[in-house]
Amino acid sequence: MTPDLSQARYARMRWNTPLSERHAALLLDRLDVQPGESLLDLGCGWGELLLRAVATSSDPRGSQTTGVGVDSDDSVLDRGRDLAADRYLGARVSFVHASAAAWDTPADRVICIGASHAWGGTIQSLHALTGLVRDGGRLLFGDPCWENPPTKAAEAVFGNQVLSLVDIIANTAAAGWRVLHLSTSDQREWDDFESTWSAGRQEWLMS
């Protein structure tokens, strides 16, 4: 039986972003999720980062972190629910089918990676997310950027939707955020991301 493309397309991907295991661990360390806190992942996909953050922030005395993943793609949400059940996190992590921009319940820690389009772009999302992180909380925000000026060919593809890294930092401050950590994905991470994205589709075509 040929597998469904909606499931096969991300089958080889750890998460739908150019991120190595080591880099992900660093980002979760900087997010600093404490036992008993609430965690929200907007545009979560199948919630791999969310699940790891919840799993590693338990307190032996019983104070447990809870998480909510929000996405508009049912197929990836089903994968997230299966992963949560496999890791015995089903009682602590829930996945909700909804638009990230429609979510209005704040959390102590918020993840939003590659989902700024839900609010209309990087600048709009940075302002909208201020109302979703509780006082004293933290946001892990990831978005495409130009580290160097783009070529004309790249501009023709992406238009003005992608900001420079400098502009993202400036707009982050303008929205009221303080930057505690900044890092960018390297070429190897991008190569792995593109390769695994393609692999699922290639395997589907061959099945």
Side-chain angles (χ1 to χ4, degrees):
M1 180 179 179
T2 303
D4 191 287
L5 178 58
S6 65
Q7 297 177 2
R9 56 185 174 157
Y10 300 124
R12 291 297 178 181
M13 303 180 77
R14 183 183 301 109
W15 31 57
N16 192 14
T17 191
L19 196 60
S20 67
E21 288 275 8
R22 184 175 180 180
H23 197 170
L26 172 65
L27 294 178
L28 290 180
D29 179 70
R30 297 298 187 265
L31 188 60
D32 193 32
V33 183
Q34 297 297 308
E37 289 185 328
S38 59
L39 185 61
L40 172 65
D41 190 344
L42 295 165
C44 66
W46 51 93
E48 181 64 34
L49 277 175
L50 171 67
L51 292 169
R52 294 188 187 201
V54 170
T56 56
S57 59
S58 298
D59 188 323
R61 295 167 295 183
S63 182
Q64 295 184 326
T65 299
T66 58
V68 176
V70 180
D71 204 283
S72 58
D73 186 338
D74 274 323
S75 65
V76 293
L77 291 173
D78 286 340
R79 178 177 173 181
R81 294 183 185 106
D82 289 341
L83 289 171
D86 290 344
R87 301 175 195 181
Y88 303 101
L89 294 173
R92 296 169 55 194
V93 180
S94 59
F95 289 90
V96 180
H97 180 262
S99 166
W103 193 261
D104 60 3
T105 303
D108 299 306
R109 299 288 190 268
V110 176
I111 299 171
C112 182
I113 297 178
S116 66
H117 57 85
W119 292 272
T122 304
I123 297 172
Q124 297 93 319
S125 64
L126 286 168
H127 285 276
L129 288 165
T130 60
L132 293 174
V133 180
R134 290 178 180 151
D135 290 347
R138 294 189 181 187
L139 167 69
L140 171 54
F141 181 78
D143 215 37
C145 70
W146 298 119
E147 291 187 68
N148 300 297
T151 63
K152 290 184 178 180
E155 281 187 322
V157 173
F158 297 101
N160 60 359
Q161 295 302 305
V162 179
L163 302 181
S164 71
L165 182 57
V166 171
D167 284 340
I168 289 180
I169 295 169
N171 281 284
T172 298
W177 297 100
R178 291 177 181 268
V179 178
L180 301 179
H181 172 81
L182 172 68
S183 60
T184 58
S185 298
D186 62 25
Q187 188 61 55
R188 181 170 293 181
E189 288 175 300
W190 275 105
D191 290 345
D192 186 59
F193 169 71
E194 296 292 349
S195 296
T196 54
W197 184 89
S198 177
R201 289 159 172 75
Q202 293 297 325
E203 290 177 341
W204 178 80
L205 287 170
M206 294 185 294
S207 63

